[in-house]
Amino acid sequence: MRPLIGISCRLAQDNTWSPALVGVRRGYVDAILAAGGMPVLIPPQLDQSALQAMYELLDGVLLSGGADIDPGLYGEEPHPQLGAVEPERDATELVLTRWAVADGKAVLAICRGMQMLNVALGGTLYQDLPSQYLSSFDHEAGVNQQTWRQPDHVLMLDESSRLAEVLRTATPVVNSLHHQALKDIGSTLKVVGRAPDGVVEAIEGTGEAFVVGVQCHPEELWQATDTRWQHVFRTFVDAAAYRRTNQQHDMTATLVR
Ligand code: MN
């Protein structure tokens, strides 16, 4: 059986007059399918009991990209350059992230997802890099050029990081479509990669479980721009599958006793 990978979703509009859609860009879903996982879309409006019922089925959680996170969740007032926020999604992902990390489920966190992973574990964010972080870099190059798949800057990884090992490089060139970034790092997380201007662009958990966050969008890179990112999705799904298998063994052992 394919491991079940929950993918957090957003509420979105396809035009101004129609009711909202629940969804996620297909690159995430395609990446999980290609890596051998079974994608399970997690609606942002689940109440806690519905979320828990879905969560218990999952072997791994993919926190996807999207809008800015409410700065109130890390104790700050909104900055003038803060973009739109999604309160329902924030609430759902905050709980989901804390559960998954506490239970040692595999977590892959992308862009906003990495920011959510950090905030859920007590970290903080720069609400707007251009006005709060001194750099000549344009981390919104992809947005300004309206392209997702164009590599924009090097991601300088620690040689000893899980990401460098899986990617088989410590210097991938990545896309960049973000105006926020991590500031203070949450508990049980460590920085493993930065942009050349020092902006944190990759984090990992300090424990045994697969907990990886990246600021770039590998779901738009793995098919053509840089196929090494397929290894990251596959390692994530394999970690979820491994945990599922071991838990079944644990249950079998319990029954035998
Ligand atoms: Mn960047």
Side-chain angles (χ1 to χ4, degrees):
M1 187 175 169
R2 287 167 170 243
L4 301 180
I5 307 296
I7 305 177
S8 60
C9 291
R10 68 201 305 185
L11 295 170
Q13 298 289 144
D14 56 346
N15 56 51
T16 54
W17 55 273
S18 295
L21 301 165
V22 171
V24 68
R25 294 192 202 284
R26 68 171 293 166
Y28 299 101
V29 176
D30 291 340
I32 294 306
L33 285 170
M38 181 61 73
V40 177
L41 303 193
I42 306 173
Q45 71 271 46
L46 294 182
D47 66 30
Q48 190 139 331
S49 70
L51 180 63
Q52 186 171 0
M54 179 178 265
Y55 167 78
E56 285 172 0
L57 302 173
L58 302 176
D59 304 303
V61 173
L62 196 170
L63 298 167
S64 63
D68 290 352
I69 293 170
D70 178 359
L73 294 177
Y74 48 89
E76 287 190 10
E77 294 294 319
H79 183 278
Q81 297 303 317
L82 179 73
V85 295
E86 300 177 273
E88 286 177 303
R89 184 179 181 185
D90 282 347
T92 301
E93 288 183 342
L94 200 68
V95 172
L96 181 68
T97 304
R98 287 174 178 160
W99 284 345
V101 171
D103 291 344
K105 292 195 183 185
V107 176
L108 179 60
I110 292 175
C111 196
R112 167 201 159 90
M114 175 172 102
Q115 297 166 2
M116 175 54 72
L117 173 60
N118 188 48
V119 169
L121 299 178
T124 65
L125 305 179
Y126 292 104
Q127 292 187 45
D128 181 58
L129 282 176
S131 51
Q132 295 184 310
Y133 192 91
L134 187 61
S135 170
S136 58
F137 261 61
D138 179 12
H139 286 280
E140 290 183 281
V143 179
N144 294 327
Q145 293 164 27
Q146 298 190 338
T147 173
W148 287 81
R149 299 185 172 183
Q150 175 76 37
D152 288 313
H153 63 70
V154 169
L155 167 57
M156 302 187 305
L157 291 167
D158 291 351
E159 299 275 356
S160 62
S161 65
R162 191 193 287 252
L163 267 170
E165 180 191 343
V166 173
L167 285 167
R168 295 174 203 140
T169 175
T171 54
V173 183
V174 297
N175 49 1
S176 193
L177 300 96
H178 60 109
H179 84 114
Q180 299 199 318
L182 273 57
K183 191 163 60 179
D184 303 309
I185 305 305
S187 64
T188 72
L189 296 173
K190 62 184 177 190
V191 174
V192 300
R194 294 178 187 269
D197 62 357
V199 167
V200 173
E201 297 241 354
I203 54 175
E204 293 181 1
T206 54
E208 287 289 302
F210 183 100
V211 177
V212 170
V214 290
Q215 185 60 64
C216 65
H217 281 278
E219 82 283 3
E220 296 298 334
L221 300 176
W222 66 274
Q223 291 185 78
T225 308
D226 185 347
T227 54
R228 291 176 296 195
W229 286 97
Q230 290 175 10
H231 301 310
V232 175
F233 288 105
R234 188 163 286 279
T235 304
F236 166 53
V237 170
D238 286 351
Y242 180 79
R243 189 176 178 284
R244 180 189 196 88
T245 306
N246 278 11
Q247 283 209 324
Q248 281 169 346
H249 286 162
D250 289 348
M251 283 163 65
T252 307
T254 306
L255 288 174
V256 168
R257 275 200 300 275

